[in-house]
Amino acid sequence: MRHLLATRDLSYDNAMAILDTAQEMASVSDRSIKKLPTLRGQTVVNLFFEDSTRTRTSFEAAAKRLSADVLNFAAKTSSVSKGESLKDTVQTLEAIGGDAIVMRHWASGAAQQLANFGWSSSAVINAGDGTHEHPTQALLDAFTLRHRLHGQHSTGKDLSGTHVVVVGDILHSRVARSNVWLLHTLGAKVTLSGPPTLMPVGVKTWPVDVNYDLDGLLAQRPDAIMMLRVQAERMAGAFFPSTAEYTRGWGLTNDRYKTIAGTPTLIMHPGPMNRGLEISATAADSTQNTALEQVANGVSVRMAVLYLLLAGQPGH
Ligand code: NCD
């Protein structure tokens, strides 16, 4: 593995290697000194063209726990606002000494472009490209599910037999796409639910079921429901009549939450949550919600990805 661009082309063996390595990394995060010398002398560049709280800080924490140096680049305060291209920006950062580029970009396919057009000689990690993919998010979701289902005995186990329902704005969600491919590779059954206007046109070719009856799905007691954020910033027109109607149909309201409260069904959310829209405050704050566990596991998963891509590279 030289880059991590998408889960669609991630093999079963590579996905399992990342999850198992992340399991080892998690034990480092439990120590009082949370640092390994593994990537000393290497530099990770965080190149973010879109806003981020979790993903950027999580990659930074992961790189630092492996003793790498980190350069944080926010496009909004850079020469990108003066018209500098992606290619020139990346080559400038590499000239400063980057070994890995973690990139979030609003254009679907931007990470592929960087890795495959010879614009960069670094390892490229896609931290979210438009509505396309967000592979480390899907990996940390899979890690969280596996840990909740198998605890300390997770190593070597995939997600065969697990049923995950992904709910909401599938159309604009790179998290949904990355999860669909990875969950499928790991043997899980995936059902998508949400307003028909927010279902992608090509969804029939995906390895998923589509079911618009959310209450019926909850009654099936899936292992997890993954609530997606309504991505208003990517919506040029109206995709549902009103936010109240969205919440009534597809939100995890208090009434819906009551039907699964106390059952083993996990509530997952990649964050940031829109409380009162796709998830009620009670559901968001319940112990069934793994959102903060997902964030914590994200650091271990990103440590594993950086380790597998960079350890043994020149400069190490
Ligand atoms: C997601 C993203 O940016 O794709 N957030 C994240 O990385 N945790 C989901 C979202 O913005 O809704």
Side-chain angles (χ1 to χ4, degrees):
M1 223 183 14
R2 185 155 150 53
H3 307 289
L4 179 63
L5 304 175
T7 57
R8 189 172 187 161
D9 54 20
L10 190 65
S11 69
Y12 177 89
D13 287 347
N14 280 340
M16 290 297 287
I18 294 170
L19 296 181
D20 289 347
T21 307
Q23 187 85 24
E24 288 174 41
M25 295 299 178
S27 62
V28 176
S29 304
D30 290 340
R31 296 186 200 159
S32 56
I33 297 174
K34 304 183 194 331
K35 243 179 152 92
L36 292 175
T38 323
L39 297 184
R40 207 159 43 197
Q42 302 217 48
T43 299
V44 175
V45 178
N46 269 330
L47 180 56
F48 277 62
F49 290 82
E50 261 189 8
D51 296 340
S52 169
T53 300
R54 275 150 286 269
T55 307
R56 198 194 59 71
T57 51
S58 177
F59 268 110
E60 183 172 352
K64 287 181 170 168
R65 282 184 200 175
L66 295 172
S67 304
D69 294 315
V70 181
L71 297 176
N72 283 312
F73 175 94
K76 277 183 190 152
T77 55
S78 73
S79 289
V80 170
S81 64
K82 299 179 188 169
E84 190 161 38
S85 70
L86 175 59
K87 181 176 170 182
D88 289 335
T89 304
V90 166
Q91 290 181 348
T92 301
L93 292 168
E94 281 185 341
I96 293 171
D99 296 290
I101 294 185
V102 175
M103 185 169 76
R104 168 165 289 188
H105 202 283
W106 38 264
S108 301
Q112 257 91 355
Q113 211 163 12
L114 203 60
N116 300 335
F117 282 22
W119 290 0
S120 146
S121 52
S122 310
V124 177
I125 301 171
N126 182 6
D129 61 327
T131 59
H132 176 230
E133 282 234 25
H134 189 355
T136 56
Q137 178 69 43
L139 285 158
L140 73 88
D141 291 338
F143 183 93
T144 304
L145 264 169
R146 196 173 84 140
H147 193 72
R148 279 287 190 130
L149 296 173
H150 303 295
Q152 298 307 315
H153 310 287
S154 295
T155 305
K157 296 220 173 76
D158 63 21
L159 295 173
S160 303
T162 308
H163 183 201
V164 180
V165 177
V166 185
V167 186
D169 183 0
I170 313 283
L171 181 64
H172 299 105
S173 179
R174 53 197 177 204
V175 174
R177 283 174 185 74
S178 284
N179 263 292
V180 163
W181 301 115
L182 183 65
L183 287 167
H184 175 67
T185 299
L186 295 176
K189 171 178 146 75
V190 182
T191 308
L192 304 181
S193 193
T197 48
L198 289 172
M199 241 358 123
V201 175
V203 78
K204 285 192 190 70
T205 63
W206 296 8
V208 298
D209 291 335
V210 177
N211 184 332
Y212 295 108
D213 175 15
L214 180 55
D215 293 308
L217 282 168
L218 294 180
Q220 290 178 24
R221 299 274 177 270
D223 294 284
I225 50 165
M226 195 176 282
M227 306 307 297
L228 298 172
R229 183 174 65 87
V230 175
Q231 307 218 347
E233 79 277 21
R234 297 192 206 279
M235 296 180 190
F239 285 83
F240 42 85
S242 70
T243 53
E245 216 147 319
Y246 180 91
T247 304
R248 204 157 44 240
W250 314 106
L252 189 57
T253 57
N254 280 342
D255 283 347
R256 273 202 187 100
Y257 167 63
K258 274 185 207 141
T259 69
I260 57 163
T263 72
T265 299
L266 299 173
I267 300 166
M268 304 183 78
H269 196 302
M273 293 188 285
N274 283 317
R275 285 165 183 256
L277 182 51
E278 74 268 1
I279 188 165
S280 75
T282 311
D285 293 330
S286 76
T287 50
Q288 258 164 285
N289 184 1
T290 61
L292 289 176
E293 235 170 275
Q294 290 166 258
V295 173
N297 291 336
V299 178
S300 307
V301 165
R302 288 170 178 130
M303 285 171 80
V305 169
L306 289 170
Y307 171 80
L308 291 170
L309 292 180
L310 289 181
Q313 297 290 313
H316 174 58

